[in-house]
C-alpha cells in the first residue's frame, strides 16, 4: 500500500459553493446531521440492493446501521455507516466535484446576490458539504464493499483536500468532524451532547430504515459503580413512513422524509400518502415540490419514484411509475407483489408496474382536482411551476384527457394576473358567443395589443391568452370543451356571431377581394418571399394589417422556437391580411389605379408586412430594409 499523501484542489464550482456555504448565514446549522445520516442511509440502501445478487457482500456481517459517536472533550463527532463505501476514484469524483448540470448557472446567480439565499444553496442538495457548516476540518475514511484498502480524505473546506490510502478493517464510511467552537447565538450548539444529538435525529431522521445509534458513554458514580451504562442507543423508530397510518404521521415527519428523498431543502407543496388495495397492492407516498428544481430542464435531471420491494430499495428513480407529464412528482412506491429481482428491462414492460402507474396517475389527477376546488392558491402555485409540464398530458394521456382539460389554467382578457379554468370561461360566455377564443404568443402584453384580438374584445367576448411554448402543440389536441369549439383568433377564418351574419360578412369580404384582386396580386408579388398569400379581411378594426396562419399551420411562436434551436423551418406559410377599411389600404388602392407601378406601393407593402410581423412579436425578415422604408416614408410625410 502506498503511504503517500496527495494534495488536490477542489473543482472550481465546489470551491465556490463551499465558500458560499461556510460564509452564508446558515442559521439552521443542525441540518448537517440530517444530510450525513441521509447519505449513510443511501449508502446502505445501495449495498443492500447489490447484495441481492452478491450475498457475499454482506455475508455473516453485523447489522446494517448508522452510528453517531460524540467526543465532547475533543469536540469531535463521528458519523459511521457500514454501507457501500467508496474507492479512491469515487471519493475524488463524488466528494471533490459537483456533477450536476446547471450548477454553474446557479452559482453565477448566487454570486450576484449580496446575501446568498440558503434556499438557493440548498437546491444543490449540498449533502456532504454541509459538514463544513459546523466543522473546521472534515475527515472521511471509507472502504468500498468488496475491496481491501481504504481511503482517507481530509479537508478544511479551504479549496484543497488531501487523499491517501489507509488500512480500514471494515467496509463503509466514517466521517470525523472537528467541530467549530460552540456559539449559541449563531445556532452552533454543542453537537457532542447526546441529548442534543438524540433530539436532532428524532426530528429529522426518525424514518431512516436502519438503526441510528448514539454512543452513550459510561458515567461513574463517586464510589466507582456505573450510574449510566455504556450503550449504542437506537434513537430512531426505523418505521418506513409510508407503511404508517397517515393519521399517526406528523406533517414535519412527512416533510423531513421528502427532503431526504428529494434533496430539496424546501418543504413540499403537497404530500399525498396512498395505499392501493385490490389486484395489486402497494403503498405510495408522493410529493409535489414547491419549486422547479434548478436542473429540471437539463438532460440528466433524474425523474421517477423510488421503488421498494418488500422494503428493500430496488431503484431510486423508476420513471415508469409515472406518466412523463407528471415527472416533477417525487416519492416512493413499495409493493410486496413485485419480484426482488426485477430488472430495468423488465420494469419497462412489466404489467404490474403499468398498473401502478395507472393507479398513481388517477390518484394524482383526483388530488389536483381537489386542490383546484378547495385550495386554489396552492393549485395555482403548482400550476405556475409545473403547468407547462403538466399540459403535455393533453397530448399524450388520452384516457385521462377529459379530467386533465378541467385542470388547465389560462390567462384571459378578463383580468390581468389571474388564472381561469375552462369551466370559468364557458360559465360566463356571452349568449351570442359560440366558440372559445384563444390566441397564442410570447407574452400577455403582446397578445393584448395584437391586431387580432381587437375585434373579439370589441364584441365583449373573452379571449384566452396562451403564452407557453407548448401551447400551440397542446391546442392541436383539443377540439372542444363542454360542447364549445376552440377557435384560434390568430389563424383560420374568424366569424363572430350567427350563421346569417357570417354569410353576410363572408360575401362582403369576397366582393372586396374581387374588387381589389389586381392590387392584392401585386402586393403578393412584392412580398412573395415572406408570405404565402395576401388577402383582405374583416378581422381587423383599427390595425391596417396582420399575419395569420391557416388551420393547423405552424404559428409564429413555434416557428421562432424552431429557429432559435437551429432547426430549419418550412417556407413561408403565413397569410398577410389587410384591412380594406383602413385609410392606408384605401390610399394604396387609389395609387394603384392611377399607376400600377407606383414606387410607393412596394414601400407600403413592405412596411405593412413589417408592422404585422412586429405586432405579433416576430423577427423582421430584413430589419435594415424596413428601417430604410420607414425613414423615407417619414421624410415624405413631414
Ligand atoms: P448527494 O447525496 O446529493 O448526491 P453529496 O454531496 O451528499 O450529494 O454526496 C455525493 C456523493 O458521494 C453521493 O451521491 C454518494 O455517491 C457519495 N457519498 C456521500 N456520502 C457517502 C457515504 N456515507 N457512503 C458512500 N457514499 C457516499
Amino acid at each position: 500500500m502506498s503511504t503517500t499523501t496527495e494534495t488536490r484542489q477542489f473543482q472550481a464550482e465546489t470551491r465556490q459553493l463551499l465558500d458560499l456555504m461556510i460564509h452564508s448565514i446558515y442559521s439552521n446549522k443542525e441540518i448537517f446531521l440530517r444530510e450525513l445520516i441521509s447519505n449513510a442511509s443511501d449508502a446502505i440502501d445501495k449495498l443492500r440492493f447489490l447484495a441481492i445478487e452478491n450475498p457475499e457482500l454482506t455475508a455473516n456481517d453485523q447489522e446494517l446501521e448508522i452510528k453517531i459517536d460524540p467526543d465532547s472533550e475533543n469536540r469531535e463527532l463521528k458519523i459511521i455507516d457500514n454501507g457501500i463505501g467508496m474507492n479512491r476514484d469515487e471519493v475524488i469524483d463524488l466528494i471533490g466535484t459537483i456533477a450536476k448540470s446547471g450548477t454553474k448557472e446557479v452559482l453565477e446567480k448566487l454570486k450576484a446576490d449580496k446575501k446568498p439565499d440558503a434556499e438557493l444553496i440548498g437546491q444543490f442538495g449540498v449533502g456532504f458539504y454541509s459538514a463544513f457548516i459546523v466543522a473546521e476540518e472534515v475527515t472521511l475514511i471509507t472502504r468500498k464493499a468488496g475491496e481491501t484498502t481504504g481511503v482517507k480524505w481530509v479537508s478544511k473546506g479551504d479549496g484543497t483536500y488531501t487523499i491517501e490510502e489507509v488500512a480500514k478493517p471494515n467496509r463503509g464510511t466514517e466521517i470525523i468532524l472537528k467541530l467549530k467552537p460552540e456559539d449559541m447565538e449563531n445556532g452552533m450548539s454543542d453537537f457532542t451532547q447526546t441529548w442534543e444529538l438524540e433530539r436532532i435525529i428524532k426530528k429529522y431522521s426518525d424514518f431512516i430504515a436502519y438503526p441510528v445509534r448514539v454512543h452513550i458513554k459510561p458515567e461513574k458514580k463517586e464510589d466507582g459503580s456505573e450510574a449510566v451504562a455504556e450503550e449504542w442507543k437506537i434513537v430512531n423508530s426505523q418505521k418506513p413512513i409510508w407503511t404508517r397510518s397517515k393519521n399517526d404521521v406528523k406533517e414535519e415527519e412527512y416533510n423531513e422524509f421528502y427532503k431526504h428523498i428529494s434533496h430539496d431543502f424546501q418543504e413540499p407543496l403537497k404530500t399525498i400518502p396512498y395505499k392501493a388495495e385490490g389486484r395489486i397492492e402497494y403503498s405510495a407516498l408522493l410529493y409535489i415540490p414547491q419549486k422547479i428544481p434548478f436542473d429540471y430542464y437539463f438532460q440528466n435531471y433524474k425523474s421517477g419514484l423510488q421503488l421498494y420491494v418488500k422494503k428493500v430499495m430496488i431503484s431510486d428513480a423508476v420513471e415508469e411509475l409515472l406518466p412523463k407529464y407528471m415527472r416533477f412528482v417525487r416519492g416512493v412506491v413499495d409493493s410486496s407483489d413485485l419480484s426482488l429481482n426485477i430488472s430495468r428491462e423488465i420494469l419497462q414492460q412489466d404489467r404490474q408496474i403499468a398498473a401502478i402507474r395507472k393507479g398513481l396517475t388517477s390518484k394524482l389527477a383526483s388530488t389536483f382536482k381537489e386542490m383546484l376546488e378547495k385550495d386554489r392558491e396552492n393549485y395555482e402555485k403548482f400550476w405556475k411551476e409545473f403547468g407547462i409540464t403538466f399540459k403535455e398530458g393533453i397530448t399524450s394521456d388520452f384516457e385521462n384527457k377529459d379530467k386533465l382539460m378541467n385542470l388547465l389554467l389560462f390567462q384571459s382578457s378578463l383580468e390581468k394576473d389571474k388564472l381561469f379554468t375552462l369551466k370559468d370561461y364557458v360559465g360566463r360566455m356571452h349568449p351570442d358567443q359560440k366558440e372559445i377564443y384563444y390566441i397564442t404568443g410570447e407574452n400577455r402584453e403582446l397578445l393584448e395589443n395584437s391586431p387580432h384580438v381587437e375585434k373579439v374584445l370589441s364584441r365583449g367576448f373573452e379571449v384566452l391568452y396562451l403564452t407557453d411554448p407548448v401551447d400551440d402543440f397542446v391546442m392541436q389536441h383539443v377540439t372542444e370543451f363542454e360542447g364549445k369549439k376552440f377557435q384560434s383568433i390568430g389563424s383560420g377564418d374568424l366569424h363572430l356571431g350567427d350563421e346569417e351574419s357570417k354569410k353576410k360578412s363572408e360575401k362582403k369580404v369576397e366582393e372586396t377581394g374581387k374588387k381589389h384582386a389586381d392590387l392584392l396580386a401585386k402586393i403578393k408579388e412584392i412580398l412573395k418571399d415572406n408570405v404565402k398569400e395576401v388577402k383582405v379581411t374583416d378581422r381587423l378594426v383599427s390595425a391596417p394589417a396582420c399575419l395569420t396562419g391557416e388551420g393547423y399551420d405552424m404559428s409564429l411562436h413555434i416557428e421562432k422556437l424552431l429557429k432559435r434551436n437551429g432547426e430549419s423551418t418550412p417556407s413561408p406559410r403565413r397569410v398577410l391580411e389587410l384591412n380594406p377599411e383602413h385609410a392606408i389600404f384605401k390610399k394604396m388602392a387609389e395609387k394603384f389605379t392611377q399607376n400600377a407601378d407606383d414606387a410607393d406601393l412596394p414601400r407600403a407593402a413592405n412596411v405593412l408586412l413589417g408592422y404585422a410581423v412586429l405586432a405579433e412579436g416576430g423577427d423582421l425578415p430584413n430589419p435594415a430594409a424596413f428601417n430604410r422604408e420607414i425613414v423615407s416614408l417619414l421624410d415624405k410625410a413631414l
Side-chain angles (χ1 to χ4, degrees), residues 151-217:
V151 190
K152 181 172 164 186
W153 176 102
V154 186
S155 177
K156 291 190 158 62
D158 54 359
T160 62
Y161 60 87
T162 61
I163 190 161
E164 66 186 302
E165 288 189 356
V166 290
K168 185 175 188 302
N170 42 21
R171 169 204 74 224
T173 302
E174 182 172 327
I175 291 163
I176 306 155
L177 308 178
K178 183 117 202 54
L179 295 169
K180 293 179 188 168
E182 192 179 328
D183 177 3
M184 289 305 282
E185 240 167 69
N186 290 307
M188 180 78 201
S189 65
D190 186 355
F191 296 115
T192 60
Q193 295 297 328
T194 52
W195 51 264
E196 175 70 346
L197 293 168
E198 286 183 35
R199 179 188 68 79
I200 300 172
I201 294 165
K202 282 209 190 81
K203 179 166 170 194
Y204 296 106
S205 313
D206 188 68
F207 53 80
I208 293 290
Y210 310 101
V212 178
R213 295 174 183 272
V214 172
H215 192 186
I216 311 283
K217 304 256 166 69

Side-chain angles (χ1 to χ4, degrees), residues 21-39:
M21 212 168 49
I22 295 168
H23 296 115
S24 80
I25 344 76
Y26 224 104
S27 53
N28 196 13
K29 298 202 161 41
E30 64 194 31
I31 54 98
F32 79 94
L33 193 57
R34 165 185 85 193
E35 296 300 305
L36 297 180
I37 290 176
S38 184
N39 279 352

